[in-house]
């Protein structure tokens, strides 16, 4: 048990890596922990709080479909001119408490994607310049990493995948209603279904993450959101999106088996 506690501390630290491949590898492991056991919910309160805070920053909405940041839109191989200017802008607000008074500070930097330094180095400089409290630094780093990555299509897809995986982990680990109500906002289910409907072979892992998030949502809500999921996925209709998708998958598998069978006969 102590070994696992130490490893979780290491995994929590790795969520702050500038390399999104490392972040995704950590999230894959945490997803297994959260879905197949209650290990995360049984962590020591301090470590559980630290982990959930970092996951929450990864899972936060980027602005939603109405503001030009729908999941399917972000998964499109588009030029930056098709996205709002805020896509590569760092805007971070926080408060510094001094005795009985608190002072608001705002970090605003545009075109963060043009900065060559790593997100960790950028955060280090900003923390020093603006005296960002320790509790706000992970939120700042997540915003920097996203703003730096957004103009690069591959890295943007990694950020989308990380966001979806973080949502699933938080749902399975019983993050709490206050956190989940903000993450599972109205319209998220429709955005997930939109992603599944995009015809692009490069989105296989994103679509898998979207399906996992839908599954997690059903697991959490059971009945309240189930009707919204049924409507969005067309499950109540034979020709709906999900039923058609399932039949297509089954036919594809049958077709592949038929081809393999024919090839086996030829080689006899």
């Amino acid at each position: 048990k102590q070994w696992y506690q130490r490893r979780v501390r290491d995994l929590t630290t790795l969520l702050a890596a500038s390399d999104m491949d490392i972040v995704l590898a950590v999230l894959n492991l945490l997803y297994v922990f959260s879905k197949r056991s209650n290990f995360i919910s049984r962590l020591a309160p301090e470590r559980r709080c630290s982990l959930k805070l970092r996951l929450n920053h990864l899972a936060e909405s980027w602005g939603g479909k109405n503001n030009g940041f729908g999941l399917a839109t972000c998964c499109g191989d588009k030029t930056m001119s098709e996205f709002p200017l805020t896509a590569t802008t760092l805007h971070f607000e926080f408060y510094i408490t001094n005795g009985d008074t608190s002072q608001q500070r705002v970090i605003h930097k545009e075109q963060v994607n043009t900065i060559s330094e790593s997100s960790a180095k950028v955060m280090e400089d900003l923390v020093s310049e603006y005296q960002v409290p320790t509790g706000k630094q992970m939120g700042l780093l997540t915003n920097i990493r996203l703003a730096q990555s957004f103009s690069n299509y591959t890295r943007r897809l990694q950020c989308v995948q990380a966001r979806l995986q973080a949502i699933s982990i938080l749902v399975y680990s019983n993050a709490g209603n206050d956190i989940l109500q903000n993450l599972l906002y109205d319209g998220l289910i429709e955005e997930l279904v939109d992603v599944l409907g995009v015809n692009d072979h490069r989105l296989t892992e994103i679509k898998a993450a979207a399906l996992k998030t839908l599954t997690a949502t059903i697991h959490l809500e059971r009945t309240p959101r189930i009707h919204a999921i049924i409507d969005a996925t067309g499950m109540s209709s034979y020709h709906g999106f999900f039923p058609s998708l399932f039949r297509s998958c089954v036919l594809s598998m049958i077709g592949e088996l038929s081809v393999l069978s024919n090839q086996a006969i030829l080689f006899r």
Side-chain angles (χ1 to χ4, degrees):
K1 182 178 179 180
Q2 291 179 349
W3 185 88
Y4 276 113
Q5 294 277 359
R6 290 195 296 271
R7 295 293 80 79
V8 167
R9 181 181 59 192
D10 295 338
L11 293 174
T12 302
T13 301
L14 288 173
L15 287 176
S18 297
D19 188 339
M20 287 303 297
D21 286 325
I22 295 175
V23 175
L24 288 173
V26 172
L27 289 171
N28 282 331
L29 184 55
L30 290 173
Y31 177 80
V32 174
F33 281 162
S34 65
K35 186 178 181 182
R36 299 185 180 180
S37 73
N38 61 352
F39 176 72
I40 293 179
S41 60
R42 293 173 59 190
L43 287 172
E46 182 180 350
R47 290 181 181 174
R48 184 174 66 248
C49 182
S50 176
L51 175 59
K52 287 185 177 181
L53 180 63
R54 297 196 176 201
L55 289 170
N56 185 48
H57 288 310
L58 285 168
E60 286 177 337
S61 171
W62 300 347
K65 191 172 183 179
N66 293 336
N67 293 314
F69 292 101
L71 287 171
T73 301
C74 292
C75 289
D77 192 358
K78 305 175 183 293
T79 61
M80 288 309 299
S81 61
E82 299 177 77
F83 290 101
L85 294 176
T86 54
T88 55
T89 298
L90 170 65
H91 186 87
F92 190 77
E93 300 179 3
F94 62 97
Y95 287 87
I96 294 182
T97 303
N98 186 8
D100 296 332
T101 62
S102 60
Q103 179 185 4
Q104 183 184 37
R105 293 194 176 181
V106 178
I107 301 175
H108 186 89
K109 292 186 178 295
E110 298 180 355
Q111 296 183 329
V112 179
N113 57 312
T114 61
I115 300 175
S116 58
E117 288 87 356
S118 69
S119 53
K121 180 62 171 63
V122 175
M123 186 194 73
E124 182 182 339
D125 293 341
L126 292 175
V127 166
S128 177
E129 180 181 353
Y130 290 90
Q131 299 178 338
V132 183
T134 302
K136 300 294 182 181
Q137 291 177 12
M138 184 57 190
L140 174 61
L141 175 63
T142 306
N143 280 269
I144 294 170
R145 191 166 53 191
L146 177 60
Q148 276 193 316
S149 302
F150 206 92
S151 60
N152 182 295
Y153 181 57
T154 301
R155 292 174 63 189
R156 182 165 75 243
L157 288 182
Q158 289 180 318
C159 290
V160 173
Q161 185 177 348
R163 182 186 164 200
L164 295 177
Q165 286 183 288
I167 293 174
S168 298
I169 295 167
L170 286 168
V171 169
Y172 283 125
S173 59
N174 300 316
N177 291 333
D178 54 335
I179 293 177
L180 295 178
Q181 282 179 356
N182 291 327
L183 299 180
L184 304 178
Y185 55 86
D186 292 338
L188 176 63
I189 293 171
E190 287 75 11
E191 287 188 44
L192 293 171
V193 175
D194 288 343
V195 170
L196 296 174
V198 177
N199 186 19
D200 191 333
H201 68 279
R202 294 173 294 182
L203 302 183
T204 301
E205 292 187 2
I206 301 292
K207 291 182 178 182
L211 281 171
K212 289 177 181 178
T213 306
L214 276 173
T215 303
T217 305
I218 296 172
H219 166 83
L220 170 72
E221 300 291 348
R222 290 180 172 83
T223 54
R225 286 181 184 255
I226 193 67
H227 298 297
I229 294 174
I230 290 174
D231 291 340
T233 57
M235 289 291 290
S236 60
S237 169
Y238 178 82
H239 297 289
F241 175 73
F242 258 27
S244 298
L245 179 63
F246 293 154
R247 288 195 299 275
S248 177
C249 290
V250 171
L251 290 174
S252 177
M253 294 172 65
I254 293 174
E256 290 178 1
L257 290 173
S258 298
V259 171
L260 291 174
S261 178
N262 292 335
Q263 289 177 344
I265 292 173
L266 290 174
F267 283 106
R268 284 179 181 174

